């Protein structure tokens, strides 16, 4: 920083060319491209060497030899693996992920339909996890060993260890089957299907933009159960980590300093200790969000949620490799994107990580 | 003598899995507008004495005292709420290592200003001006630049000066300095001590200097308490330290290397009788 260099030198450093942002962007893009190449290569090779026959999946097992061979050539399977991969990549770069065998649509169109459903569910589940889990973890650390701490630990253990499919079915049974206060599976009542134009594909945003409030609230009702179920896991994890980070910070000496100054306990906790906990939490929350964006297959299946987890799994069962690779690329982009975001937030929260 | 602080029969004990540990056992002393040194080995209870005065003993410890009188009030019986008005504003404490005692994610200036704003109705602007002034007083150059630095960007010596500024900005009556120079380079130790000395003189405070360094305490303080095993074994004027009578104090002094004395250094021998109470200095 400024003090380490004499004033004259400092001016020179600041005017250096090219400006540091260029180097950072370059590093960012090269890491993005490398990740993309690695991700597609691995998925592609796994898809091709898998014993499942993609030709058979299209033509069916009663097709004649000629039809089979024609399709084999048409799909370019006679070419060497590396060439097949290069052809695939050049198509992907132009936005062509190929066709899905299962849905007979472009994979890209499918992804645009399925991904927003997962995005909506995962975002809300993460928000619930953060806004309930973090205060729970902080409270547990502050009241360590008292009843609130025990409660949080039991909830943490429960949320982490109870199988999500069981929880989902029991919740459906109680709130949909017996009490009938919440709607059943699906993103929205069939009745409202097609009322709003998909702009973002996220029903909450689309219906709010088009001021279709009935649709909006129906979608909210449908979100309550699956997002709560999905959030249980996120919440348990976030609360547990927050608790242990907070316990660690409360034993640090700067907390004693803050108390010596005569600060209120709430300022000591939220103004001092929590700002340090936040640094560590950013990574945890980012990872949780990314893993939820992958699509929770179990939750999506139980609630008939047309998300990307279900899409990839079904495609996998049908040897629909174009769809699988397409889905994997989207998940990979999410992971890398969230990593970049949490890196940036980390640097914002922790001055030691900023560097020069 | 007019005293600022009068401690009588202060005890601190800790609940541990291995049983109760008595860190401080019924010690009594007074502090006037003077510099009082408390010396002793690790675990002798000197740091816990400082913390107990501020009511900041950790949760697994318990404190008892006949009284800790300060300004007509008994700190040992004060509510947490009243205690907060004492901390910082009236009695403050500097800790050993600025690398740990400063909050790593806050600008140092904000941390100092916060200490001022807790106890006054000062605006942000006023607090900042006061902070810069305070940084100048602890001899930090380019104070307005340092204000915006983070703790990892300052050296140990500067960090400790920042701590001093932070703890003295509300102008307390008593400052407890717990090993304020032990984590610093020998070359900056003297600077820090002289700054501390100037500030204590200017503000007319009482100072409790906790240290394991006999030489430092004897040259810097007016009076010295020697602690061992949670008890005060001997209380003497700093100038008389070389004439100390208690065998423990004598033992400590003999452990120090000296230019005049040649040959092997003595090893400290401990006598359990010292702690049985009523050990009479021969």
């Amino acid at each position: 920083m400024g003090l380490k260099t004499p004033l004259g030198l400092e001016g020179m450093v600041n005017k250096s060319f090219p400006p540091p942002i260029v180097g950072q962007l370059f590093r960012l893009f090269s890491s993005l491209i490398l990740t993309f190449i690695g991700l597609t290569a691995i998925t592609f090779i796994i898809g091709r060497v898998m014993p499942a026959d993609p030709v058979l999946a299209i033509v069916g097992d009663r097709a004649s030899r000629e039809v089979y061979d024609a399709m084999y050539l048409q799909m370019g399977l006679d070419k060497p693996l590396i060439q097949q991969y290069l052809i695939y990549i050049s198509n992907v770069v132009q936005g062509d992920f190929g066709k899905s065998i299962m849905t007979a649509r472009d994979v890209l169109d499918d992804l645009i339909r399925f991904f927003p459903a997962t995005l909506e569910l995962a975002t809300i589940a993460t928000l619930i996890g953060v806004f309930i889990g973090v205060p729970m973890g902080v409270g547990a650390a502050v009241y360590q060993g008292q009843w609130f701490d025990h409660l949080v630990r039991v909830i943490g253990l429960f949320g982490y260890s109870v199988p999500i499919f069981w929880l989902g079915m029991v919740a459906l049974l109680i709130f949909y089957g017996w009490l009938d206060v919440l709607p059943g599976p699906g993103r929205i009542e069939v009745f409202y299907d097609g009322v709003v134009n998909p702009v973002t594909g996220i029903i909450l945003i689309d219906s709010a933009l088009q001021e279709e409030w009935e649709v909006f609230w129906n979608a909210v009702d449908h979100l309550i159960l699956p997002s709560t179920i999905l959030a249980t896991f996120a919440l348990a994890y976030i609360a547990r980590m927050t608790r242990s980070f907070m316990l660690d910070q409360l034993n640090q000496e700067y907390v004693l300093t803050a108390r010596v100054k005569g600060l209120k306990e709430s300022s000591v906790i939220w103004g001092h200790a929590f700002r340090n906990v936040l640094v560590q939490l950013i990574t945890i929350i980012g990872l949780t969000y990314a893993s939820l964006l992958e699509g929770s297959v179990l939750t999506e299946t139980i609630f008939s949620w047309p998300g990307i987890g279900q899409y990839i799994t079904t495609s996998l069962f049908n040897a629909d490799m174009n769809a699988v690779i397409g889905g994997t690329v989207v998940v990979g982009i999410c992971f890398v994107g969230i990593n970049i975001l949490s890196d940036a937030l980390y640097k914002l929260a922790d001055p030691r990580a900023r560097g020069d | 003598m007019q005293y600022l602080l009068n401690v009588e029969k202060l005890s601190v004990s800790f609940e541990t899995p291995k049983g109760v540990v008595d860190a401080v056992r019924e010690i009594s002393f007074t502090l006037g507008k003077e510099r009082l040194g408390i010396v002793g080995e690790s675990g002798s209870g000197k740091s816990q004495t400082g913390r107990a005065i501020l009511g900041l003993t950790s949760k697994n410890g318990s404190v008892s005292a006949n009284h800790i009188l300060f300004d007509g009030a008994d700190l040992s019986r004060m509510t947490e709420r009243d205690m907060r008005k004492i901390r910082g504003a009236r009695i403050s404490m500097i800790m050993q290592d600025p690398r740990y005692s400063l909050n790593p994610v806050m600008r140092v200036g904000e941390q100092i200003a916060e200490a001022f704003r807790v106890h006054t109705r000062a605006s942000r602007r006023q607090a900042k001006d006061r902070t810069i002034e305070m940084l100048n007083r602890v001899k930090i150059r380019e104070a307005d630049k340092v204000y915006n630095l983070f703790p990892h960007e300052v050296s140990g010596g500067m960090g400790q000066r920042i701590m001093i500024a932070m703890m003295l900005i509300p102008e307390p009556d008593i400052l407890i300095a717990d090993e304020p120079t032990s984590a610093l380079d020998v070359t900056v130790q003297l600077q820090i001590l002289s700054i501390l000395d100037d500030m204590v003189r200017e503000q007319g405070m009482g100072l409790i200097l906790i240290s394991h360094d006999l030489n430092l305490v004897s040259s810097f303080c007016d009076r010295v308490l020697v602690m061992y095993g949670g008890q005060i074994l001997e209380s003497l004027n700093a100038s008389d330290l070389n004439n100390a009578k208690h065998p423990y104090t004598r033992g400590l002094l003999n452990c120090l290397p000296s230019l005049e004395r040649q040959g092997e250094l003595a090893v400290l021998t401990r006598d359990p009788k010292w702690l049985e109470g009523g050990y009479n200095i021969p």
Side-chain angles (χ1 to χ4, degrees):
Chain A
M1 281 287 297
L3 283 182
K4 284 174 201 154
T5 50
L7 287 171
L9 269 179
E10 195 190 346
M12 278 170 66
V13 172
N14 280 345
K15 279 178 203 149
S16 68
F17 185 84
I21 187 80
V22 171
Q24 279 172 16
L25 284 178
F26 179 75
R27 273 199 297 275
L28 191 70
F29 278 117
S30 48
S31 84
L32 267 178
I33 288 165
L34 277 177
T35 314
F36 177 75
I37 291 173
L39 197 70
T40 48
I42 291 172
T43 331
F44 188 84
I45 289 166
I46 290 175
R48 284 296 183 264
V49 300
M50 222 169 44
D53 189 337
V55 184
L56 217 53
I58 295 173
V59 297
D61 48 9
R62 270 186 264 167
S64 65
R65 188 76 224 172
E66 291 77 45
V67 175
Y68 181 93
D69 286 346
M71 184 52 82
Y72 188 81
L73 288 178
Q74 194 195 326
M75 291 173 76
L77 292 174
D78 55 329
K79 300 191 176 81
L81 200 57
I82 183 78
Q83 201 181 342
Q84 289 182 36
Y85 174 67
L86 290 176
I87 293 171
Y88 180 78
I89 282 291
S90 67
N91 285 337
V92 166
V93 171
Q94 295 162 38
D96 177 14
F97 283 86
K99 268 198 165 19
S100 160
I101 304 166
M102 201 175 55
T103 61
R105 279 189 301 259
D106 279 350
V107 169
L108 193 64
D109 289 341
D110 278 348
L111 292 175
I112 290 170
R113 275 163 59 101
F114 286 97
F115 184 65
T118 295
L119 186 65
E120 190 172 37
L121 192 59
T123 308
I124 290 178
T126 308
L127 288 178
I128 296 176
V130 170
F131 283 100
I132 300 179
V134 169
M136 262 171 60
V138 170
V142 171
Y143 299 108
Q144 190 195 4
Q146 296 172 33
W147 68 265
F148 186 77
D149 184 26
H150 294 308
L151 181 75
V152 170
R153 285 161 72 180
V154 169
I155 292 174
L157 198 64
F158 177 84
Y160 211 69
S161 47
V162 169
I164 214 159
F165 62 86
W166 181 83
L167 206 61
M169 291 203 288
V170 170
L172 269 179
L173 179 69
I174 295 175
F175 295 102
Y176 174 57
W178 293 348
L179 300 176
D180 200 19
V181 287
L182 289 174
R187 284 181 85 186
I188 198 160
E189 219 66 62
V190 187
F191 176 71
Y192 292 114
D193 235 347
V195 172
V196 289
N197 270 338
V199 181
T200 59
I202 296 169
I203 295 184
L204 287 185
I205 296 179
D206 288 346
S207 59
L209 282 179
Q210 292 161 39
E211 301 190 17
E212 294 282 356
W213 296 111
E214 247 175 273
V215 182
F216 179 83
W217 289 113
N218 188 265
V220 170
D221 283 349
H222 276 85
L223 263 168
I224 292 175
L225 272 187
S227 61
T228 313
I229 301 295
L230 202 56
T232 320
F233 181 79
L235 183 147
Y237 184 55
I238 291 174
R240 266 181 6 154
M241 297 312 281
T242 308
R243 177 181 179 273
S244 79
F245 290 154
M246 195 69 191
L247 280 178
D248 183 42
Q249 292 301 325
L250 285 177
N251 282 325
Q252 301 291 319
E253 218 172 55
Y254 70 83
V255 170
L256 182 63
T257 308
R259 291 200 175 113
V260 169
K261 286 196 227 173
L263 288 180
K264 279 188 303 219
E265 197 57 20
S266 59
S267 316
V268 174
I269 289 162
W270 294 104
H272 281 265
F274 186 70
R275 281 167 78 166
N276 285 276
V277 169
L278 194 63
V279 173
Q280 296 163 292
L281 269 185
I282 285 167
T283 317
I284 296 293
I285 294 171
L287 282 176
T288 311
Y289 187 41
S291 78
L292 291 185
L293 276 182
E294 234 175 277
S296 163
V297 180
L298 293 174
T299 315
E300 287 177 3
T301 308
I302 290 165
F303 290 95
S304 308
W305 200 264
I308 196 141
Q310 224 189 6
Y311 179 73
I312 296 179
T313 315
T314 325
S315 308
L316 207 51
F317 288 145
N318 291 307
D320 189 351
M321 285 323 288
N322 280 343
V324 172
I325 304 175
T328 313
V329 169
V330 169
V331 170
I333 289 172
C334 283
F335 244 101
V336 175
I338 287 174
N339 263 327
I340 292 170
L341 187 71
S342 63
D343 268 6
L345 287 175
Y346 191 97
K347 282 180 184 165
L348 213 63
D350 190 347
R352 285 164 297 184
R354 279 174 213 165
D356 288 4
Chain B
M1 186 180 71
Q2 182 78 38
Y3 62 80
L4 283 167
L5 189 73
N6 181 348
V7 178
E8 194 175 293
K9 295 208 167 169
L10 171 72
S11 298
V12 183
S13 57
F14 288 94
E15 202 83 53
T16 69
K18 287 177 188 163
V20 177
V21 175
D22 294 310
V24 179
R25 310 176 192 206
E26 299 201 334
I27 64 166
S28 306
F29 63 92
T30 57
L31 171 77
K33 284 197 174 176
E34 59 180 333
R35 291 164 298 178
L36 175 71
I38 301 183
V39 287
E41 307 165 66
S42 311
S44 60
K46 49 195 197 308
S47 291
Q48 287 305 330
T49 304
R51 282 197 183 202
I53 292 168
L54 280 165
L56 288 173
T57 304
S58 50
K59 276 183 194 162
N60 60 338
S62 61
V63 179
S64 71
N66 277 5
H67 60 238
I68 303 175
L69 286 180
F70 169 73
D71 198 14
D74 185 354
L75 299 184
S76 66
R77 279 161 189 75
M78 228 177 222
T79 60
E80 177 63 22
R81 199 188 160 83
D82 289 332
M83 208 53 214
R84 278 205 300 270
K85 288 179 194 146
I86 301 281
R87 283 184 209 134
R90 312 290 309 276
I91 306 179
S92 217
M93 179 159 81
I94 293 171
M95 273 150 299
Q96 184 168 347
D97 196 335
R99 276 175 305 177
Y100 302 118
S101 48
L102 291 169
N103 189 338
V105 301
M106 274 171 88
R107 293 180 194 282
V108 294
E110 285 166 18
Q111 298 190 49
I112 301 172
E114 186 187 33
F116 185 61
R117 280 164 57 91
V118 187
H119 300 288
T120 53
R121 287 163 182 273
S123 68
R124 255 167 219 286
R125 185 71 240 167
Q126 286 168 317
K128 184 168 182 179
D129 291 345
R130 241 346 268 287
T131 302
I132 304 258
E133 184 195 321
M134 206 64 200
L135 285 172
N136 284 323
R137 281 184 59 197
V138 292
K139 304 196 170 61
I140 288 179
R141 276 170 300 154
E142 301 190 89
D144 44 343
K145 268 192 187 169
V146 174
Y147 186 96
N148 286 317
L149 294 181
F150 286 99
H152 72 281
E153 294 167 326
V154 302
S155 65
M158 195 186 276
Q160 203 59 307
R161 278 186 266 180
I162 287 164
M163 269 304 275
I164 293 174
M166 185 182 341
M167 289 310 172
L168 294 188
I169 197 169
E171 303 188 339
D173 304 302
I174 298 176
L175 179 71
I176 302 169
D178 188 354
E179 305 265 13
T181 56
S182 307
L184 304 179
D185 274 353
V186 184
T187 45
V188 288
Q189 284 187 355
L190 277 179
Q191 286 175 27
I192 294 297
L193 280 176
S194 80
I195 288 171
L196 203 56
D197 194 32
D198 290 348
M199 305 283 278
V200 169
R201 268 180 221 279
E202 282 171 32
Q203 297 194 3
M205 292 184 291
L207 173 78
I208 300 180
L209 179 73
I210 298 171
S211 175
H212 62 269
D213 189 336
L214 272 174
N215 280 332
L216 181 134
V217 167
S218 64
S219 60
F220 187 68
C221 293
D222 307 313
R223 210 150 55 86
V224 182
L225 304 178
V226 182
M227 278 188 82
Y228 175 72
Q231 295 181 12
I232 296 176
L233 293 186
E234 198 169 11
S235 163
L236 28 81
N237 286 331
S239 49
D240 299 335
L241 193 66
N242 282 323
N243 308 320
K245 297 209 174 57
H246 196 286
Y248 178 66
T249 319
R250 290 242 53 90
L252 283 181
L253 288 169
N254 287 335
C255 290
L256 295 173
S258 136
L259 283 177
E260 289 103 60
R261 259 187 298 121
Q262 297 292 323
E264 275 188 44
L265 276 179
V267 174
L268 192 62
T269 50
R270 296 173 171 85
D271 189 344
K273 266 190 277 178
W274 296 340
L275 296 180
E276 280 161 18
Y279 177 84
N280 293 317
I281 295 169

